[in-house]
Amino acid sequence: MALTIRVLLENRRAPGADSRLQAKAGLSLLLQDESDAILFDTGPDGSFLHNAALMGVDLSAITATVLSHGHYDHCGGVPWLPDNSRIVCHPRIADERYSAFRFPGFTRKIKKLSREVDYGRHRMEYSRHPVALSERFIWSGEIAVPAPNAYGVITGDRDSTDYVVDEGALIYKSDRGLVIVVGCGHRGVINIVRHCQQIAGVTRIHALIGGFHLRSASPWSLWRVRQFLQQQSPDKLMGCHCTGEWGRWWLPAVTAPATGETIVLG
């Protein structure tokens, strides 16, 4: 059974693609097999919808929308989804969050990273635990990380460190192994892959696609990720969005999907 992945939005437009396609910082992918169509992330606004129309992609048959996490460039397009859409995500998707400098007793907020979204219009399925979306698709739920990295602050009664605990991945159980779809990789590529292997009960990785958050990673971190991926030996490694040119330079046999592309996995 083939899995078709359409890149509805990514930071760059694919060479030779329709010049009317909008490329923005963000990610939105449509994954479709013979039974299901899953929208993974929505980018920052309605650009994914604009691009889908230009690509001749019908979004009316979407089985579910999966939101990887609550940063605006991944969930900002939710207001453009039809009312009563089925959305699967972590219960902390709507946390208000900012990038920030933090010092003892002092926090300086820099940029708002979340967006106010009316999730009440939709059929929300919040879960910290894995959710079987269909026979082959799985939402990973929350990914445990021994020593998570901080990515700004979450506002509330007292500002708290944002470890992006709401980030999850989409898993597809293909006949050739797992296809793991990552939004931004805040929880770490190695942690994400191991978590997905554990909950799916499959170790073989057919494809790994998405944002790996490696654009400013240290050489030591990139070396560890490179060694891990060489051991896993996925058939396809596709780093886009926040993977960055620096990150892709370190990764073995990586490609860079862009807005307007269609990828077919056997």
Side-chain angles (χ1 to χ4, degrees):
M1 182 181 292
L3 175 68
T4 300
I5 303 175
R6 293 180 173 87
V7 185
L8 302 183
L9 185 76
E10 202 271 336
N11 296 36
R12 302 163 300 110
R13 187 169 57 238
D18 190 329
S19 61
R20 295 173 296 171
L21 290 172
Q22 297 176 358
K24 297 181 179 180
L27 187 65
S28 182
L29 306 173
L30 179 68
L31 295 92
Q32 192 165 15
D33 66 5
E34 295 176 4
S35 304
D36 297 278
I38 307 292
L39 181 65
F40 181 80
D41 285 346
T42 64
D45 51 32
S47 300
F48 77 98
L49 201 59
H50 168 86
N51 291 344
L54 289 175
M55 293 169 65
V57 176
D58 181 11
L59 298 181
S60 64
I62 290 175
T63 309
T65 296
V66 169
L67 300 178
S68 64
H69 63 298
H71 282 163
Y72 73 93
D73 51 342
H74 294 263
C75 66
V78 168
W80 282 265
L81 293 174
D83 287 354
N84 206 36
S85 294
R86 181 192 181 196
I87 298 179
V88 180
C89 59
H90 191 280
R92 296 192 62 178
I93 190 78
D95 281 353
E96 184 176 350
R97 52 189 76 187
Y98 293 80
S99 61
F101 289 119
R102 300 202 76 183
F103 303 96
F106 175 75
T107 298
R108 174 68 173 179
K109 296 175 186 174
I110 304 170
K111 177 184 177 181
K112 190 172 183 179
L113 299 178
S114 57
R115 183 153 293 167
E116 293 182 8
V117 174
D118 180 11
Y119 291 108
R121 297 173 40 232
H122 303 292
R123 289 182 290 126
M124 301 300 299
E125 297 181 26
Y126 297 110
S127 181
R128 287 183 167 85
H129 307 289
V131 175
L133 304 172
S134 68
E135 183 179 349
R136 290 180 179 264
F137 282 104
I138 305 171
W139 155 245
S140 73
E142 189 172 314
I143 297 166
V145 178
N149 292 321
Y151 295 94
V153 296
I154 295 173
T155 62
D157 294 336
R158 297 181 63 183
D159 291 344
S160 60
T161 302
D162 186 7
Y163 296 109
V164 199
V165 298
D166 58 315
E167 183 177 40
L170 179 63
I171 306 164
Y172 182 76
K173 298 176 74 171
S174 82
D175 295 334
R176 299 179 61 181
L178 299 181
V179 177
I180 300 175
V181 188
V182 182
C184 233
H186 294 290
R187 304 294 278 176
V189 173
I190 297 174
N191 297 319
I192 292 169
V193 169
R194 285 175 173 163
H195 176 84
C196 292
Q197 289 171 322
Q198 181 179 8
I199 65 173
V202 177
T203 56
R204 175 73 181 131
I205 305 298
H206 178 38
L208 179 64
I209 180 172
F212 304 152
H213 217 276
L214 299 173
R215 58 192 173 196
S216 58
S218 70
W220 168 241
S221 296
L222 285 160
W223 178 254
R224 287 182 61 247
V225 171
R226 177 183 173 85
Q227 292 292 98
F228 175 78
L229 292 175
Q230 284 179 328
Q231 293 169 2
Q232 297 296 317
S233 188
D235 298 320
K236 300 283 186 180
L237 180 60
M238 296 170 276
C240 54
H241 185 40
C242 57
T243 305
E245 291 295 335
W246 168 245
R248 281 191 289 268
W249 188 83
W250 286 81
L251 300 181
V254 67
T255 59
T259 302
E261 285 192 32
T262 296
I263 302 156
V264 180
L265 301 175

